[in-house]
Amino acid sequence: SFDWNHGTFLGTVCSSETTAAAEGKRGGLRNDPFAMKPFCGYNIGDYFQHWISLGQKHGSKGNLPRIFYTNWFRKNEAGKFIWPGFGENSRVLRWIFDRADGVDNAEETAIGALFGYLKTICTCSLGSFCLICSLGYVPTVESMDISSLSLSNEEMKELLKVDRERWLEEVLFLGVVFFSS
């Protein structure tokens, strides 16, 4: 994320597949803030406020952790997981540690370049909401250690790709989620 509030926002827009712990059709994708919907026993708005307040209280001290948003479950056109998972997740953690140490190993997502565009096409009266919808940064293909994995550069590009059209749709959906009564 760009900062603590942006990371909190990303947590609020998280989606996940339903499991036995959640209501609804198992395996369906749904909005699931912080992946906590089935477990949050109080007002979810209060839960969001807790994280924002934490940033306000401790942010100026520079001791808040960096926030990274991952999707370990991207699938290819055949419906198979692209990333091998399990112990190989440590490769992504290596990238995160390098990033936190100041290594320039990322590029801004394609949706981040759409700030002005979103503001001009947004018809949902969200105003500045559309200016904070960027996902942040993704690793460069070269910055990920994929040695000894059977992943091609094309598969890595697919893993790191941000679908602009899908995110434009998501922004409009989020306007309904956050601003409808």
Side-chain angles (χ1 to χ4, degrees):
S1 65
F2 295 125
D3 57 36
W4 185 261
N5 283 341
H6 182 241
T8 300
F9 169 74
L10 291 176
T12 68
V13 302
C14 186
S15 293
S16 62
E17 286 189 7
T18 53
T19 64
E23 293 180 22
K25 181 183 173 194
R26 194 169 180 177
L29 191 64
R30 69 171 186 163
N31 180 257
D32 188 5
F34 291 91
M36 288 293 294
K37 202 169 195 174
F39 312 106
C40 195
Y42 58 98
N43 182 298
I44 198 76
D46 293 340
Y47 187 74
F48 297 168
Q49 186 59 55
H50 162 76
W51 292 106
I52 292 168
S53 297
L54 185 72
Q56 291 169 338
K57 182 176 180 181
H58 299 287
S60 64
K61 299 174 187 165
N63 59 356
L64 291 172
R66 303 274 302 270
I67 299 173
F68 294 86
Y69 190 87
T70 62
N71 179 359
W72 304 108
F73 306 107
R74 293 286 295 264
K75 294 181 180 179
N76 62 20
E77 290 179 7
K80 303 282 185 191
F81 293 115
I82 302 172
W83 186 252
F86 303 106
E88 305 306 343
N89 294 347
S90 63
R91 296 169 187 260
V92 178
L93 295 174
R94 173 81 257 163
W95 177 85
I96 288 172
F97 295 145
D98 287 346
R99 183 85 182 137
D101 286 341
V103 175
D104 184 17
N105 59 3
E107 56 193 13
E108 190 170 350
T109 59
I111 194 76
L114 290 175
F115 286 164
Y117 177 67
L118 285 170
K119 190 164 177 67
T120 61
I121 67 158
C122 184
T123 60
C124 55
S125 304
L126 299 180
S128 63
F129 172 81
C130 287
L131 295 176
I132 60 166
C133 67
S134 175
L135 293 178
Y137 298 95
V138 294
T140 59
V141 172
E142 303 78 30
S143 70
M144 292 296 300
D145 174 14
I146 59 170
S147 60
S148 76
L149 294 180
S150 60
L151 285 174
S152 67
N153 277 351
E154 287 73 33
E155 288 171 310
M156 282 304 299
K157 287 178 185 175
E158 182 63 27
L159 276 170
L160 301 173
K161 180 179 81 176
V162 175
D163 184 331
R164 297 172 93 176
E165 295 303 315
R166 185 153 184 216
W167 269 100
L168 286 171
E169 292 171 12
E170 185 74 9
V171 166
L172 296 176
F173 168 75
L174 293 173
V176 172
V177 169
F178 282 99
F179 297 102
S180 64
S181 48

